[in-house]
Amino acid sequence: MIPDALSELLSATQGQRDATWQGRSLLVINDDWGELILSRHGGHLLHYAPAGERGWLWTTSTPKAPPEALRGGVPLCWPWFGEPEDGNGPMHGLARTAQWRIDAVDEDVEGGVEIHLSPETQLHDTLAPRLVIHANAQRLAMELVTEHIGETPIRLTQALHAYFSVPDTHQCRIEGLGGARYLDKLADYAEAEQNGVLGIRGALDRIHHSSRPLVLDDGHRRLRIAKQGSDSTVVWHPGDKLPSDVPERERLNFICIEPACTRLDPVWLAPGAQHVLSMHISPESPAQE
């Protein structure tokens, strides 16, 4: 689900072009394999849909204006997830409100596109990120690559904060977390174990200690969500206490499932080393279970 204005941009696009929306510079793609919208503000993927399908991602219809972060799509939480440990810096880091440049848009080996991005300015003294997006008619993949360009080891937390579009959050089931320990952020980080399939009935904010692939079943389709470089999976929905940039009519149109590196699995990078956090999304039919 995306705002009407973004749908209109897609309808007016054949192939790919630049456009603007809500003060943000966009790359808009409408091709035989499917659709994609990418914002240079935040290096932020706002929309992806394979040909003939509804979009896999949700983006709010009432976004905050830049330089504020936009809610929806896949924000980049980097180089920290949540609040900074030293209390110095914005929630979820620097990447999601920075300006990114599109370095290359190439043909994907499977018939879609491969997009390379990097920040326009240096965001951190010793860490340098870049983003690679692969999109075609069968899958969406994102790789957030972090290189250590400093001289001493450093700690990194991060997330691909994906907002998945669903018809009704309360009808969703998330398979693959059974038996995983989790921290409940709504209960002062109390630890518990997930029992079977996860359903959403109200506010939820959990960090699951798991590297396993998941399946999001929204009652109409099943999406397989796999990842690499992450032992944390965050599942979040605000319930009835909506952020100011989420309209009430859209309250049950999304669920966040986030490959992450959190306090459970921080990454320690040595000088010259790099880390890749990736997410791979593809359809799964019941016969594939």
Side-chain angles (χ1 to χ4, degrees):
M1 175 181 176
I2 56 173
D4 290 343
L6 292 182
S7 295
E8 291 169 5
L9 286 176
L10 283 166
S11 297
T13 300
Q14 292 184 336
Q16 57 182 269
R17 68 180 177 113
D18 289 335
T20 58
W21 173 69
Q22 297 289 329
R24 293 171 168 87
S25 172
L26 307 179
L27 172 66
V28 181
I29 299 177
N30 189 350
D31 215 328
D32 291 341
W33 60 264
E35 305 169 346
L36 183 146
I37 301 177
L38 178 65
S39 170
R40 291 174 174 84
H41 181 246
H44 194 151
L45 180 64
L46 303 183
H47 172 71
Y48 162 79
E53 291 194 30
R54 63 181 172 90
W56 291 6
L57 303 173
W58 170 89
T59 292
T60 182
S61 62
T62 55
K64 295 180 179 179
E68 295 294 321
L70 188 154
R71 189 176 302 279
V74 188
L76 306 177
C77 300
W78 183 97
W80 59 81
F81 173 76
E83 298 179 355
E85 292 185 353
D86 61 4
N88 184 23
M91 185 74 168
H92 288 322
L94 307 169
R96 68 185 188 137
T97 55
Q99 287 298 124
W100 291 61
R101 60 175 168 261
I102 298 175
D103 298 316
V105 181
D106 300 321
E107 184 175 343
D108 182 78
V109 294
E110 297 177 352
V113 292
E114 179 179 303
I115 306 172
H116 295 254
L117 301 96
S118 59
E120 289 189 353
T121 59
Q122 185 172 338
L123 300 184
H124 193 277
D125 290 341
T126 59
L127 296 175
R130 54 188 174 87
L131 179 67
V132 183
I133 299 172
H134 304 266
N136 56 50
Q138 293 81 39
R139 68 178 181 118
L140 170 67
M142 301 181 67
E143 300 171 357
L144 180 57
V145 183
T146 302
E147 182 181 0
H148 189 334
I149 57 175
E151 298 180 353
T152 58
I154 192 169
R155 186 177 186 270
L156 167 71
T157 58
Q158 58 189 329
L160 296 171
H161 196 315
Y163 287 74
F164 287 91
S165 176
V166 298
D168 184 344
T169 306
H170 291 170
Q171 300 302 314
C172 291
R173 293 159 55 88
I174 301 172
E175 304 170 10
L177 291 172
R181 304 294 293 178
Y182 66 85
L183 300 179
D184 189 341
K185 294 176 68 176
L186 300 182
D188 197 24
Y189 289 90
E191 186 174 354
E193 181 176 302
Q194 175 61 37
N195 182 20
V197 173
L198 175 61
I200 297 89
R201 294 293 178 267
L204 191 73
D205 195 353
R206 298 177 181 176
I207 305 173
H208 294 80
H209 198 187
S210 174
S211 60
R212 287 177 290 176
L214 309 179
V215 172
L216 170 61
D217 185 339
D218 69 9
H220 297 270
R221 69 178 170 200
R222 293 166 59 84
L223 291 179
R224 184 179 188 270
I225 306 164
K227 61 178 183 171
Q228 292 180 328
S230 158
D231 286 326
S232 290
T233 296
V234 178
V235 180
W236 177 78
H237 191 272
D240 294 330
K241 296 182 179 179
L242 296 177
S244 60
D245 52 359
V246 178
E248 172 61 31
R249 66 183 180 277
E250 298 174 20
R251 178 173 64 92
L252 297 179
N253 291 144
F254 68 90
I255 181 66
C256 288
I257 303 173
E258 312 164 36
C261 304
T262 69
R263 61 168 65 186
L264 294 178
D265 62 325
V267 175
W268 280 97
L269 276 180
Q274 71 174 23
H275 180 267
V276 181
L277 172 64
S278 65
M279 174 173 60
H280 307 262
I281 312 169
S282 56
E284 178 175 288
S285 67
Q288 292 176 282
E289 292 183 47

